[in-house]
Amino acid sequence: MCIFCKIVNGEIPSKKVYEDNDVIAILDISQATKGHTLVIPKKHYANILEIEDSEYIKVMKVLKNVTSKINDAYKPKGFNILNNCGEVAGQTVMHYHVHIIPRYDTNDIKLEFTDHSDKYDLTEIMHDLTI
Ligand code: 5GP
Ligand code: ZN
């Protein structure tokens, strides 16, 4: 059983800030910034490609409410809300979860996007990806 399933089952302790029948929100043990929280569906899905729409919607609702609570409590200047999907993207726990990382300073975590648009044909990509 994965570590988050064990947390959901109560086999491993956690600092829970929200729980309902389908979703929990717990403090991330690493606290990248103060209030760093994980929103986790109780059912095990490896990632966003696997999670059912009904469960995904429930996670998103809790995500919004917990973000509001952190905002009221700690008044950060902003948030990064992110999901690492796959090992290459930094996913270490293969049970879908979303990070809420309150931001107090531009340097408190590192997240860098470099402009590589000169290497790609945006029209071609648009055609490839249009749903
Ligand atoms: P990922 O790297 O998969 O996106 O995020 C996994 C997160 O889970 C990490 O930020 C890590 O600190 C957190 N984490 C790993 N093990 C535990 C644990 O036992 N308890 C809690 N609360 N967080 C954990
Ligand atoms: Zn799991």
Side-chain angles (χ1 to χ4, degrees), residues 1-6 41-45 93-96:
M1 194 185 287
C2 93
I3 195 160
F4 287 174
C5 282
K6 286 182 180 163
K42 286 190 171 178
K43 283 196 209 161
H44 181 99
Y45 302 97
V93 178
M94 298 301 160
H95 179 135
Y96 179 73

Side-chain angles (χ1 to χ4, degrees), residues 27-44:
L27 299 186
D28 192 297
I29 207 163
S30 74
Q31 291 296 288
T33 65
K34 186 182 181 185
H36 179 187
T37 300
L38 303 173
V39 183
I40 307 171
K42 286 190 171 178
K43 283 196 209 161
H44 181 99

Side-chain angles (χ1 to χ4, degrees), residues 18-25 39-42 55 58-59 62:
Y18 179 82
E19 177 167 24
D20 64 27
N21 287 335
D22 308 297
V23 179
I24 58 169
V39 183
I40 307 171
K42 286 190 171 178
E55 300 306 303
K58 289 170 192 166
V59 169
V62 174

